[in-house]
Amino acid sequence: MAMTIHVDIVSAEQEVFSGLAEMLFAPAELGEVGIAPRHAPLITKLKPGEVRVKISDKESQEFYVSGGMLEVQPHLVTVLADTAIRAHDIDEARALQAKARAEEMLNDKSGKYDYALAQAELVDAVKQLSTLDRLRKRGS
Amino acid sequence: MAVGKEIRSKIASIKNTQKITRAMEMVAASKMRKTKDRMQATRPYSKKISQIIVHLSHANPEYKHPFMIGRDVKRVGVIVISSDRGLCGGLNANLFRMMLNQIQQWHGRNIEVDICTVGGKAAGFFNNINANVVAQVSKLGDSPHQMDIIGVIKVMLDAYTNGTIDQLYVVNNEFVNTMTQRPVMTQLLPVKADSLEPKVSGHWDYLYEPGAKEVLDHLLQRFVESIVYQGLVENNACEQAARMVAMKSASDNASNIIKELQLVYNKARQAAITQEISEIVAGAAAV
């Protein structure tokens, strides 16, 4: 059997995933990283995007995280996500809605809305949608 | 019948009180379930982040964050988490008693104490005893958000960074089980390595992306926030559990009192009837 590494994904609200995996891919701030067993200790911030856990050659699971931290110990990877959703559970309609709303807020120059907040929301929604997109392509 | 009118009205009023305590008990029971779920849901995050902090304290980073370096203690900061409302037994009283003992100990060692209160009861109590309250927040409700407490945490973190306070503690009730809640005090800053965890041998350090400073700043702030938040949701669960138990015993007490009063009332009524009959009999005999 291939070497495995223990992966824990927790969000502020719940534990999302815990188990052994062959490899983990995560959107670190300086670019996507792949973590294999016996990786050197590493701490990094995460961008909004997709975390992929490769459990075996046949099986892998995708999660959407809206940012957070990643900690790597040689045999243990911890993803502290601000929010984490299983990619299958992303609600496309809601993501689209959130995107539209954020764009509207950005276009509204009346200064009624918090610009930074709207931008963060937009990034969040767009990343959720692109995660879904990638998931579909892989499935088909 | 005029007998025992006061007793009857007393029984009625106790019955009303009992209705209220019953209702509060049931409300607290259902709220407790929810708050307990919330407490358990946020536990993995705070557990994991503390674990990372422990790992971190064993590493040998090239950048020492001020939150990780101990200093001589002249003034400590304490975040006291209490409930907003009363009627929850000795929950808050126990917490405050522990705090007072602790404050006395600190004063004995010439250490000043700055207090930051979360929840209405703590604010009332510490303002009353003229403690040095530097920040307070209350009325967080049953489902508090992390955003609600970021403000007061920032006040304390800034105080620590400025050197105003040299240690930061958080005090809250720990949920042991439904019947038992225990006040606990946890040291937040400087970060204390858990001595139970086996030390990883050798000289090693993390790789930091993008840089040690940014990552550690972010991580340590998150750590403090998540621990305080965890304390808050735990205290919430404690509050509901304590209220449920307190209200249950209040309802039981009311039942007992009603039973006793009913007995007294029946006796009085019976005595009155007996007296009346004997008066009638005596009257009949006299004729």
Side-chain angles (χ1 to χ4, degrees), chain B:
Chain B
M1 217 179 358
V3 172
K5 191 155 185 298
E6 313 84 33
I7 301 185
R8 254 185 310 165
S9 66
K10 202 163 186 189
I11 291 179
S13 104
I14 292 177
K15 271 190 178 149
N16 281 337
T17 313
Q18 195 188 24
K19 269 181 207 154
I20 296 172
T21 55
R22 277 255 164 77
M24 282 183 78
E25 180 194 336
M26 282 188 277
V27 169
S30 82
K31 274 190 182 167
M32 185 190 74
R33 223 163 298 137
K34 262 183 254 163
T35 47
K36 225 168 111 183
D37 285 348
R38 190 167 301 119
M39 171 184 90
Q40 266 147 9
T42 51
R43 222 175 226 170
Y45 189 92
S46 62
K47 228 184 214 158
K48 284 290 164 202
I49 202 161
S50 328
Q51 208 174 48
I52 293 180
I53 297 293
V54 169
H55 288 163
L56 199 64
S57 60
H58 288 155
N60 304 282
E62 79 265 21
Y63 165 73
K64 275 271 180 199
H65 196 278
F67 287 0
M68 307 185 73
I69 306 168
R71 303 192 279 240
D72 276 352
V73 184
K74 291 190 200 68
R75 186 179 269 270
V76 296
V78 185
I79 300 178
V80 183
I81 301 175
S82 77
S83 68
D84 268 331
R85 273 175 240 171
L87 288 183
C88 45
L91 186 79
N92 290 319
N94 287 342
L95 190 78
F96 297 154
R97 195 173 319 127
M98 188 192 82
M99 257 325 281
L100 283 181
N101 283 339
Q102 192 62 46
I103 289 176
Q104 238 157 28
Q105 268 181 37
W106 275 324
H107 280 171
R109 285 188 281 149
N110 278 331
I111 296 171
E112 302 281 316
V113 183
D114 278 358
I115 286 174
C116 156
T117 65
V118 179
K121 287 283 157 188
F125 180 79
F126 287 103
N127 280 329
N128 224 356
I129 62 163
N130 283 329
N132 190 13
V133 178
V134 290
Q136 57 187 49
V137 60
S138 56
K139 304 231 164 43
L140 297 175
D142 293 321
S143 46
H145 291 284
Q146 209 150 7
M147 258 155 62
D148 302 331
I149 50 167
I150 284 181
V152 289
I153 294 177
K154 182 131 179 37
V155 171
M156 296 316 264
L157 289 185
D158 284 350
Y160 185 87
T161 321
N162 297 339
T164 319
I165 57 172
D166 306 302
Q167 272 182 335
L168 181 61
Y169 293 90
V170 61
V171 175
N172 66 286
N173 281 292
E174 182 191 23
F175 189 93
V176 183
N177 56 42
T178 312
M179 301 299 289
T180 329
Q181 295 87 31
R182 192 170 44 205
V184 287
M185 186 163 88
T186 325
Q187 181 177 339
L188 287 176
L189 298 178
V191 173
K192 221 168 49 176
D194 193 350
S195 49
L196 294 174
E197 192 103 343
K199 206 170 154 92
V200 188
S201 57
H203 188 95
W204 63 281
D205 189 15
Y206 283 108
L207 302 167
Y208 299 94
E209 271 181 41
K213 192 175 176 312
E214 288 111 276
V215 173
L216 288 184
D217 279 352
H218 188 76
L219 185 69
L220 285 164
Q221 192 172 348
R222 269 293 157 75
F223 166 70
V224 173
E225 281 166 13
S226 103
I227 297 294
V228 175
Y229 182 70
Q230 182 64 29
L232 181 60
V233 289
E234 193 148 342
N235 197 69
N236 252 335
C238 287
E239 179 193 345
Q240 300 301 346
R243 178 164 301 137
M244 191 182 84
V245 172
M247 288 301 123
K248 182 160 175 36
S249 71
S251 305
D252 291 351
N253 280 344
S255 294
N256 285 341
I257 293 177
I258 289 174
K259 226 187 252 167
E260 276 164 28
L261 283 179
Q262 193 74 48
L263 202 67
V264 172
Y265 170 70
N266 286 348
K267 262 186 195 162
R269 195 178 72 109
Q270 195 60 55
I273 292 171
T274 314
Q275 196 188 359
E276 212 168 302
I277 290 174
S278 66
E279 272 165 15
I280 292 169
V281 172
V287 175

